[in-house]
Amino acid sequence: MQIHVVKNYDEMSKKAASIIIKEIIVKPSLILGLATGSTPLGVYEKLIEAYETGLISFENIKTFNLDEYIGIPREHPQSYYSFMNEHLFKYVDIKKENINIPDNDINRLNEIAKEYNNRLFGNQRDIQILGIGANGHIGFNEPGSSLSNQTFIVELNEETRKDNARFFNSLEEVPKYAITMGIKNIMYSRKIILLASGKKKAEAIYKMAYGDIDTRVPASILQLHPDCIVIIDKEAASMLPTNETFIEF
Ligand code: GLP
């Protein structure tokens, strides 16, 4: 694991975007794993800029999203399907058929999970972008989920629902379930870029990098990934036991 500590959110976004842009230039048919939440928004802005200046194209890129809520339609403004469209897809030349986000039709959930899982194993991601929950979750792999899980249906825990309530009108509106890549799917990426910014993430970052590998902190499994780059701002790094700006394990 490599940890880069940068000044602020903008530097974090720039650094992550520049790694992704370089990889796209070398491999225009990159398979990219995408995350939602506030954290990767800056990266998506920078990727859109790179597209607009002609540096990269999404024409041959395939994307796979980590997760989707269950219980709200895909057209709901807070579905991850809408989120991706709103913050990235509608601005670039990606082909519809190359976008993969788990469907959330409640009548077919088991089939959808199986089918998404097969697609993931048939398409190893070149890069997987990750945020991290304040409780150490990645995707929607909540504390306690098995580290060998493949795509599955998860009941969201209260802390996660409260954290995500800021996007909804009330806590009651926040879905209680989601479909998510399992840890096993996330680990099946050539490179992982995990991003975090702000004090609220400091404890999760500390436990992810320095704690035991433990189902109580799902992100701790990333210690075992052969190419995991963590890019965080100073606040998210504030509990690390060193002031170095580059740490390698
Ligand atoms: C959600 C997503 C995660 C994301 C996390 C953190 O729960 N499922 O993929 O990493 O929130 O979100 P934020 O970046 O808004 O802090």
Side-chain angles (χ1 to χ4, degrees), residues 146-162:
S146 160
L147 298 181
S148 63
N149 263 346
Q150 306 187 27
T151 310
F152 69 112
I153 312 303
V154 61
E155 182 173 0
L156 302 177
N157 80 19
E158 277 312 291
E159 190 182 352
T160 300
R161 291 187 63 241
K162 279 183 195 148

Side-chain angles (χ1 to χ4, degrees), residues 38-51:
S38 320
T39 311
L41 285 177
V43 175
Y44 297 153
E45 274 171 28
K46 310 251 177 269
L47 292 180
I48 294 166
E49 272 167 36
Y51 164 72

Side-chain angles (χ1 to χ4, degrees), residues 46-59:
K46 310 251 177 269
L47 292 180
I48 294 166
E49 272 167 36
Y51 164 72
E52 284 170 348
T53 56
L55 202 55
I56 54 169
S57 158
F58 283 74
E59 205 189 340

Side-chain angles (χ1 to χ4, degrees), residues 3-132:
I3 304 180
H4 298 263
V5 181
V6 296
K7 239 189 342 204
N8 53 31
Y9 180 84
D10 194 51
E11 292 297 314
M12 176 196 80
S13 307
K14 252 192 228 158
K15 193 168 185 69
S18 83
I19 297 172
I20 299 165
I21 290 166
K22 282 180 209 157
E23 296 260 354
I24 295 176
I25 290 172
V26 176
K27 186 179 177 192
S29 59
L30 199 83
I31 304 182
L32 190 53
L34 298 173
T36 49
S38 320
T39 311
L41 285 177
V43 175
Y44 297 153
E45 274 171 28
K46 310 251 177 269
L47 292 180
I48 294 166
E49 272 167 36
Y51 164 72
E52 284 170 348
T53 56
L55 202 55
I56 54 169
S57 158
F58 283 74
E59 205 189 340
N60 296 310
I61 286 181
K62 245 191 215 180
T63 62
F64 284 85
N65 264 79
L66 283 167
D67 44 20
E68 177 59 288
Y69 285 122
I70 293 170
I72 54 175
R74 284 187 125 186
E75 297 67 37
H76 189 287
Q78 294 309 329
S79 76
Y80 288 163
Y81 178 85
S82 301
F83 177 101
M84 288 313 306
N85 211 29
E86 214 37 57
H87 296 292
L88 180 64
F89 297 149
K90 75 176 185 190
Y91 299 104
V92 298
D93 61 346
I94 191 158
K95 291 185 185 136
K96 255 210 165 100
E97 63 267 29
N98 285 343
I99 296 172
N100 297 273
I101 301 177
D103 196 358
N104 63 2
D105 176 351
I106 49 165
N107 300 313
R108 299 177 43 245
L109 286 176
N110 286 337
E111 268 168 79
I112 292 169
K114 231 187 237 164
E115 197 268 332
Y116 201 66
N117 199 55
N118 289 341
R119 246 189 285 164
L120 288 169
F121 280 111
N123 290 275
Q124 184 182 32
R125 267 77 66 228
D126 292 297
I127 301 179
Q128 174 67 54
I129 303 172
L130 290 180
I132 186 168

